[in-house]
Amino acid sequence: MGGAFLHTLFDITAWLAAAAAVYWLARQGLRFPAQSFELPYIAALAFGAGLGAYLFGSANLWLSGQSGIARSVEGALAGGIVAIELYKWSAGIAVRTGARLALPLALGIAIGRLGCYFAGLDDFTYGTPTALPFGHDFGDGVLRQPVQLYESAAMAVFAIVYVLAVLNRNAFTITNGFYLVLAYYGAQRFLWEFLKPYGTLIGPFTLFHLLSLSILLYAAFMLATAAKARSLHERAVA
């Protein structure tokens, strides 16, 4: 099977896993903000994520000296965040609405990155050359860092920890799960970017370094103000 087909197959699996995670959370008897299932909210999220995915993915290609159009999961994440915050501001919604998305996001990225790994060189998500024994030859005879697997494993670990927190009814993790997964994602992605052959934007930092840092800072701010927002927040609890 070709790399493009495998990528698509894993993308579909990632979406199905995310949907299964939403269903599983509902079966746990948790209450999440209702706004995250409303049609305008979903439309804003889909539009922002799609725009961000192609905008940042294609910009990274250009900065790396390549032509074409590309998508980026981190770009989709950033675009979705901006779109939802703007939508909530325009609609006067003060409730923090992302709690339901923590597990679906972690699972989706963990599985989707496997598709990036099997897609090979055309996907442009591989790492820099390495002499380490676990380097992977993506088809050009060069051993490279399999950074897709690093990210997949990292997000799988978060998903496991989150599931355990849900089973133990850890209220803080359930209520703030979306910001926890954003902080975790931004931090681990920032590290992996040092192992990628992308063009730099500022000093040694790539576009995705800066985007990862922005996501991390956003999540940190939201977590730091969680107690202040509690009176406005429809908490996700058992």
Side-chain angles (χ1 to χ4, degrees), residues 1-16 111 115:
M1 291 185 288
F5 175 80
L6 286 172
H7 201 318
T8 300
L9 182 63
F10 276 96
D11 282 347
I12 294 172
T13 304
W15 281 104
L16 292 175
I111 296 172

Side-chain angles (χ1 to χ4, degrees), residues 82-150:
V82 171
I84 289 300
E85 291 294 349
L86 289 174
Y87 166 73
K88 288 168 59 179
W89 173 75
S90 65
I93 298 173
V95 174
R96 295 188 171 187
T97 55
R100 190 195 311 269
L101 305 177
L103 183 58
L105 178 62
L107 277 179
I109 294 176
I111 296 172
R113 276 307 189 207
L114 295 178
C116 297
Y117 172 78
F118 288 112
L121 292 172
D122 290 340
D123 197 59
F124 198 46
T125 55
Y126 50 82
T128 51
T130 180
L132 295 173
F134 48 80
H136 182 73
D137 179 0
F138 287 94
D140 63 351
V142 178
L143 294 179
R144 303 177 188 275
Q145 297 273 6
V147 287
Q148 308 98 321
L149 299 185
Y150 303 162

